[in-house]
Amino acid sequence: MSASAKITVPTPSDIRARKGGTPLVCLTAYATPTAQMMDAHCDIVLVGDSVGMVVHGLSDTLGVTMEMMELHGAAVKRGLTQAMMVVDMPFGSYEESPEQAFRNAARLMRATGAAAVKLEGGVTMEETIRFLTSRSIPVMAHVGLTPQAINTLGGYKVQGRGEDRGRVLADAKAVERAGAFSVVLEKVPESLSDEITTALSIPTIGIGASVGCDGQILVVDDMLGLFTAFKPKFAKRYATLGDDGEKAIAQYASEVRNRQFPAPEHVFADEVKNK
């Protein structure tokens, strides 16, 4: 791209138009430097509530607050010029009523500059999604394993097997009816993911779903090997930055204790010598 070429930030309608085309590339981000690295390569950058686990050390996403999402969302936005930014609505910020969801979605979009919000749930959230989308709040939906509902789902289990297949399919169709511009399918069996992708006119974005989805998303700290507390089956590691970082810190600690760092080139003389 030439220096004078205009960069067009994707919109929900652009994303929806990608249905059945080149797969959408999506990653999570929580900070400006990471967002800058992925901006030229991703269609969608999601400020996920996974920030609670991978950045703040929480055991799940339930403790994430609106203030946390606003802080990290604004940071990510500073690193983007090209990719579309979506921000997760945290647990407890939208379930009570469509009106509550609108207030908090509008708050997040104002505070962060996000182009859209993401919320979890299917049939139970149909009315809320419709309320938001009819009031100029673009919504990315999320069905299958919904991490904010782990206490009712019995943990981080695959969703949609056996008799549960119809429920997940119904959830996906409900969010499409309500006006969502795309839907994340998390930990949904491959065959069901393919069925949903074929059945819907909006893009499906897989995470532990199927290569046949219209796009894929991963938590960036998983794929870079930075988050090592556990490794989901679907999280391919493209780097081992956690291991590399620990080795670098160990070397730094050794050099400090042995008075090898700082070396002469890292300190300042009393006077600058004239050349």
Side-chain angles (χ1 to χ4, degrees):
M1 181 179 291
S2 67
S4 60
K6 181 179 179 181
I7 295 176
T8 302
V9 178
T11 67
S13 59
D14 296 328
I15 300 302
R16 186 162 184 158
R18 292 278 296 275
K19 175 72 179 180
T22 302
L24 294 159
V25 178
C26 315
L27 281 173
T28 64
Y30 318 111
T32 305
T34 314
Q36 290 171 329
M37 286 191 291
M38 61 182 66
D39 186 40
H41 307 286
C42 292
D43 300 295
I44 297 173
V45 172
L46 171 68
V47 186
D49 61 358
S50 48
V51 67
M53 300 175 73
V54 301
V55 176
H56 293 274
L58 301 178
S59 60
D60 52 46
T61 63
L62 302 182
V64 174
T65 64
M66 285 286 290
E67 290 76 16
M68 290 165 67
M69 298 310 301
E70 289 174 325
L71 176 68
H72 290 282
V76 169
K77 183 63 176 178
R78 296 184 196 109
L80 299 178
T81 58
Q82 182 171 334
M84 175 182 171
M85 188 175 87
V86 180
V87 177
D88 261 342
M89 297 192 70
F91 176 69
S93 69
Y94 60 94
E95 296 90 340
E96 181 180 340
S97 67
E99 290 79 11
Q100 180 209 29
F102 178 82
R103 287 193 299 272
N104 285 321
R107 171 181 165 180
L108 279 178
M109 292 180 73
R110 278 196 302 266
T112 65
V117 298
K118 181 170 77 65
L119 58 81
E120 298 180 6
V123 171
T124 59
M125 285 293 114
E126 183 173 359
E127 179 186 356
T128 295
I129 294 172
R130 184 173 292 110
F131 190 90
L132 295 181
T133 56
S134 66
R135 288 161 176 79
S136 303
I137 303 285
V139 175
M140 174 184 284
H142 184 153
V143 304
L145 172 65
T146 47
Q148 293 175 9
I150 57 168
N151 288 327
T152 55
L153 294 176
Y156 297 94
K157 300 177 180 179
V158 174
Q159 302 295 307
R161 286 176 169 158
E163 295 180 357
D164 194 40
R165 188 180 184 97
R167 177 187 65 85
V168 176
L169 179 58
D171 280 343
K173 290 181 176 180
V175 300
E176 178 185 37
R177 283 195 306 269
F181 69 89
S182 62
V183 57
V184 172
L185 307 180
E186 181 168 357
K187 291 192 83 167
V188 174
E190 184 177 26
S191 64
L192 177 55
S193 299
D194 289 339
E195 181 180 353
I196 292 172
T197 299
T198 300
L200 299 189
S201 63
I202 60 174
T204 57
I205 299 172
I207 178 167
S210 169
V211 72
C213 289
D214 298 299
Q216 301 293 330
I217 188 166
L218 285 176
V219 171
V220 68
D221 293 66
D222 284 340
M223 60 88 67
L224 291 178
L226 284 168
F227 182 71
T228 57
F230 58 87
K231 181 182 178 295
K233 177 181 179 178
F234 55 76
K236 178 178 178 179
R237 285 185 178 161
Y238 288 80
T240 54
L241 300 190
D243 292 341
D244 294 343
E246 186 173 353
K247 290 176 183 176
I249 291 169
Q251 182 178 346
Y252 164 73
S254 175
E255 291 185 7
V256 169
R257 293 187 177 113
N258 291 308
R259 298 191 183 279
Q260 296 173 295
F261 177 84
E265 64 267 27
H266 304 123
V267 296
F268 301 92
D270 292 331
E271 297 180 1
V272 177
K273 295 181 179 179
N274 294 324
K275 293 183 179 180

